[in-house]
Amino acid sequence: MRIGLDIGGTKIDAVLLRDDLTIASRVRVPTGKGPRAVVASAERAVHDVVASTGGSVASVVASIGAGIPGMVDAERGRVRHAVNLDVTDLALADELSARVGVPVHVENDVKAASLGAYHLLSLTGSAALLNLGTGVAAGIVLDGRLWRGPGGGAGEVGHIPIEPGGAICGCGQRGCIETLASGSAVARLWPSHAEHPAVELFDAADAGDERARTVRRTVAQAVASGIRVLALTVDVETVVLAGGLSHLGDRLRRSVTEVLEDWGDESAFLASLSLPSRVRMLPPELAAAAVGAALVGIPDATEGRQVRAAPVGDDATRASVGAPVDAPR
Ligand SMILES: [Zn+2]
């Protein structure tokens, strides 16, 4: 079996995957801050997720994959600038592997999630996962193979500017997709003390508040721009929306497809691409990032061959996941 770890800012989502990609067990442990605490938390997650099997890590687990935010050197298993984890530079693969005695692979969390979503949603051909979290980034999977690009920069569509003279982005440019389509963008465009500002925004827009409708349209246009970029550059057949804003579910999908349909009314070229039909939402209960991280350790999953995926709602998966868990981010 293989372990996948989704190392987030507050918790680690860990899954133990059988060879048929069904989940044998899933646990969550709090994430410590700083490099040493991150490695210690990951080690605990590995032991906890294996505990239900009654075996030892070395006897049960063939490989471990860890998805983590920040700049990841997948080849060396290093992560840099994982700001939310207080990590500036960590040789995560070497340090975790030395503690648990199993090979460890490391991948950027959004890229890992794209691979996980591809298999969990039984996608085929080419697909992208567009993560709408604090920031915006995509992971691209072509024929079952994660496409990183030589520098790991493939899919960084959040930093494509779409609004000349717009707000300054964390990357130093102005008007990036990320400044309009992220959780932090919603917080800026719709200041609110609500626990879920995006939900409050959509509620207000539904109730007829004109300013809320304008902001919702702006956010939806930026998300649609990300989808258009992915379709026009790599011609992905499916774009899966994930991350915090995707928890709006069908409400977000409707707003975004409305924009794409309006663009299609103005452009026969765009209409011919059938962009609205390419959009899917990532069900929040799916452990896409953790499952994808586990797949990073399987050569077949990253070298172009299909691995048999457990379909969504598969009984084995549902039964073993157990009680609903809160959304990954
Ligand atoms: Zn930017």
Side-chain angles (χ1 to χ4, degrees), residues 3 66 85 87 89 111 133 167 174-175 201 219 221 229 264 300 303 314 316 322:
I3 289 176
L85 298 168
V87 168
D89 189 10
K111 288 184 168 63
R174 276 185 185 275
L201 166 67
V219 172
Q221 282 172 336
V229 162
D300 284 356
E303 296 300 328
D314 173 78

Side-chain angles (χ1 to χ4, degrees), residues 158-160 169-173 176 178:
H159 298 296
I160 293 179
C169 181
C171 74
Q173 304 184 96
C176 293
E178 183 167 301

Side-chain angles (χ1 to χ4, degrees), residues 56-300:
S56 68
V57 173
S59 68
V60 170
V61 179
S63 71
I64 295 170
I68 188 165
M71 293 172 59
V72 170
D73 180 339
E75 209 165 296
R76 293 181 180 79
R78 289 189 88 92
V79 58
R80 290 187 293 129
H81 308 299
V83 181
N84 291 342
L85 298 168
D86 292 339
V87 168
T88 48
D89 189 10
L90 173 62
L92 179 58
D94 287 350
E95 297 212 11
L96 183 58
S97 177
R99 290 189 183 214
V100 297
V102 174
V104 175
H105 308 270
V106 181
E107 186 51 85
N108 167 269
D109 60 345
V110 173
K111 288 184 168 63
S114 67
L115 195 56
Y118 187 88
H119 290 286
L120 289 168
L121 298 175
S122 300
L123 302 179
T124 55
S126 57
L129 176 137
L130 182 59
N131 196 68
L132 310 167
T134 310
V136 173
I140 298 168
V141 179
L142 303 178
D143 295 326
R145 179 179 184 171
L146 185 60
W147 183 40
R148 300 178 179 86
E156 290 290 350
V157 298
H159 298 296
I160 293 179
I162 54 171
E163 187 191 28
I168 292 182
C169 181
C171 74
Q173 304 184 96
R174 276 185 185 275
C176 293
I177 287 176
E178 183 167 301
T179 65
L180 297 169
S182 58
S184 39
V186 169
R188 191 187 78 249
L189 297 169
W190 184 258
S192 157
H193 294 297
E195 192 186 350
H196 301 293
V199 172
E200 190 193 66
L201 166 67
F202 274 62
D203 285 346
D206 284 342
D209 182 316
E210 275 308 316
R211 196 171 65 83
R213 295 175 81 104
T214 304
V215 172
R216 180 173 67 180
R217 179 78 178 181
T218 300
V219 172
Q221 282 172 336
V223 176
S225 296
I227 294 165
R228 179 171 58 184
V229 162
L230 289 162
L232 291 179
T233 50
V234 249
D235 195 16
V236 286
E237 293 154 67
T238 309
V239 178
V240 180
L241 300 183
L245 285 189
S246 76
H247 300 156
L248 288 159
D250 242 21
R251 304 177 82 184
L252 178 67
R253 197 184 55 80
R254 275 199 305 274
S255 296
V256 171
T257 51
E258 203 176 280
V259 171
L260 295 170
E261 279 159 9
D262 290 349
W263 288 349
D265 289 343
E266 295 161 2
S267 159
F269 164 65
L270 277 187
S272 74
L273 300 175
S274 306
L275 296 181
S277 68
R278 303 190 191 199
V279 182
R280 290 186 63 171
M281 307 303 295
L282 182 70
E285 72 279 7
L286 282 190
V291 168
L295 297 179
V296 167
I298 303 179
D300 284 356

